[in-house]
Amino acid sequence: MTTPLIAVTMGDGAGVGPEVIAGALLDDATSARARPIVVGDAERLRTAARIIGREARVVAVDSVDDAVFEPGRINVLDLGLLPADLAWGEVSPAAGEAAYQYIRVAAELAARHAVQGICTAPLNKEALHAAGHLFPGHTELLAHLTGTEEVSMMLSTPSVKVVHVTTHIGLIDAVAKIEPGLVERTVRRGNRAITGSGIAHPRIGVCGINPHAGENGLFGHGEEETKIVPALERLRADGIDARGPLPADTAFFLAGRGDYDLIVAMYHDQGHGPVKVLGIEAGVNITVGLPVIRTSVDHGTAFDIAGTGKADPRSMAEALRQAAELSAAA
């Protein structure tokens, strides 16, 4: 069976994206799983390969059909948007514009089924905004480009998977935004993603908002009863095994030992913190609800080490593996 074609976007060229892409794509295991085509800047990738001390033939191609897949070769749809003197580890509007265009092209490739999935290297939100693209991150940008009204962010590690009800908004705004309909739709998207990965009847743990999930009204103002419980009742009536509201501080421990196949976090840090402690190197970000498979590394642009060869490519390699696996199953 032919391995899936995956568009790999280079992210912010001033960050570690080029280095982790070069490291992941030059790994022999990657070619056995997927046929990756980078949407980015060929010369930046050549520089990145030299920085990490790897031999690579970085070849600019005009289309997906022109790509040739063989060991040591990286195929690049070269948009040529980065200045030759782009500094490593600094916010650049030019890099922000390029990162946006990489995603736009990848979304167009996916829309016409030229590729089966998208795997993204990290972008820098400040640079993206400096270029005039006012999106909180990849998740919202891809939803806009694909005309998708609502999506969810899922973080996946070998020991736990987490889907978020809210993501890139402040905590006060997140609590205000959470309501039964949003909770229900998020759980359903997570349930579809997990069943699509081969688990027929996933066990889903749904976190509360307050400490101890409100402790029967002792903490908070009854948010669990008004915002979460009605959603769980509807989900269970439809046969979805959604349990909660659970105290978040124990939910992740229970998931880590195998009690749950998916945890539903109410806000960004409630889900991100435990996942990154459990293993950021093997963590992958998956956008669920899009009309195309999209995975990403579970780390940022790491400007402090960009251009030094210290970046760890394992999250990118895992993101590619999961993009290929999910695309093949779709």
Side-chain angles (χ1 to χ4, degrees):
M1 182 176 175
T2 304
T3 54
L5 285 161
I6 305 296
V8 181
T9 59
M10 203 176 73
D12 193 298
V16 297
E19 294 165 81
V20 297
I21 287 175
L25 268 59
L26 292 171
D27 182 350
D28 291 340
T30 300
S31 60
R33 297 166 177 158
R35 291 178 292 158
I37 300 171
V38 180
V39 183
D41 185 287
E43 190 54 42
R44 196 64 164 182
L45 281 171
R46 293 186 186 104
T47 301
R50 289 194 294 270
I51 286 172
I52 66 172
R54 298 292 301 274
E55 293 275 344
R57 287 181 295 117
V58 179
V59 181
V61 296
D62 294 326
S63 71
V64 171
D65 292 337
D66 294 332
V68 176
F69 300 93
E70 54 190 21
R73 171 173 168 143
I74 298 176
N75 297 286
V76 186
L77 288 173
D78 187 7
L79 302 193
L81 297 174
L82 294 180
D85 61 350
L86 179 70
W88 295 97
E90 296 181 10
V91 173
S92 162
E97 176 64 26
Y100 172 84
Q101 296 300 336
Y102 303 153
I103 291 292
R104 179 188 61 77
V105 170
E108 290 176 357
L109 290 171
R112 64 173 191 263
H113 307 292
V115 297
Q116 285 76 60
I118 298 172
C119 182
T120 62
L123 53 73
N124 181 278
K125 296 176 181 63
E126 186 178 351
L128 186 70
H129 290 187
H133 304 292
L134 305 181
F135 296 92
H138 271 120
T139 302
E140 297 83 1
L141 174 53
L142 278 163
H144 168 75
L145 290 171
T146 58
T148 307
E149 185 174 342
E150 191 174 88
V151 296
S152 297
M153 175 188 290
M154 178 182 289
L155 301 181
S156 174
T157 75
S159 57
V160 64
K161 290 178 173 59
V162 186
V163 66
H164 293 69
V165 175
T166 66
T167 49
H168 296 118
I169 56 176
L171 183 55
I172 292 174
D173 296 329
V175 174
K177 184 176 181 178
I178 296 166
E179 50 86 21
L182 178 58
V183 173
E184 181 181 353
R185 294 191 299 274
T186 302
V187 175
R188 289 186 187 278
R189 280 190 288 271
N191 184 67
R192 283 194 295 271
I194 299 299
T195 55
S197 70
I199 299 174
H201 302 288
R203 298 159 299 170
I204 302 173
V206 180
C207 292
I209 297 171
N210 295 296
H212 301 188
E215 190 101 3
N216 297 316
L218 182 62
F219 304 122
H221 302 279
E223 288 86 357
E224 282 72 21
E225 289 298 319
T226 59
K227 294 173 176 285
I228 300 174
V229 169
L232 297 183
E233 291 173 346
R234 290 196 291 267
L235 291 161
R236 288 194 286 261
D238 281 350
I240 294 175
D241 186 2
R243 310 175 192 179
L246 303 173
D249 56 354
T250 57
F252 288 92
F253 165 74
L254 296 174
R257 76 178 188 186
D259 290 12
Y260 294 106
D261 301 300
L262 176 69
I263 293 293
V264 180
M266 291 295 128
Y267 52 89
H268 184 282
D269 286 11
Q270 189 182 63
H272 277 62
V275 166
K276 293 190 175 183
V277 168
L278 287 168
I280 189 171
E281 298 88 354
V284 174
N285 183 336
I286 304 170
T287 305
V288 294
L290 289 172
V292 61
I293 299 299
R294 178 260 172 168
T295 67
S296 181
V297 294
D298 186 26
H299 60 72
T301 49
F303 276 180
D304 57 325
I305 61 169
T308 67
K310 296 178 181 178
D312 189 332
R314 284 180 292 175
S315 184
M316 174 55 74
E318 179 62 15
L320 266 168
R321 185 192 70 78
Q322 293 202 34
E325 183 179 286
L326 292 167
S327 298

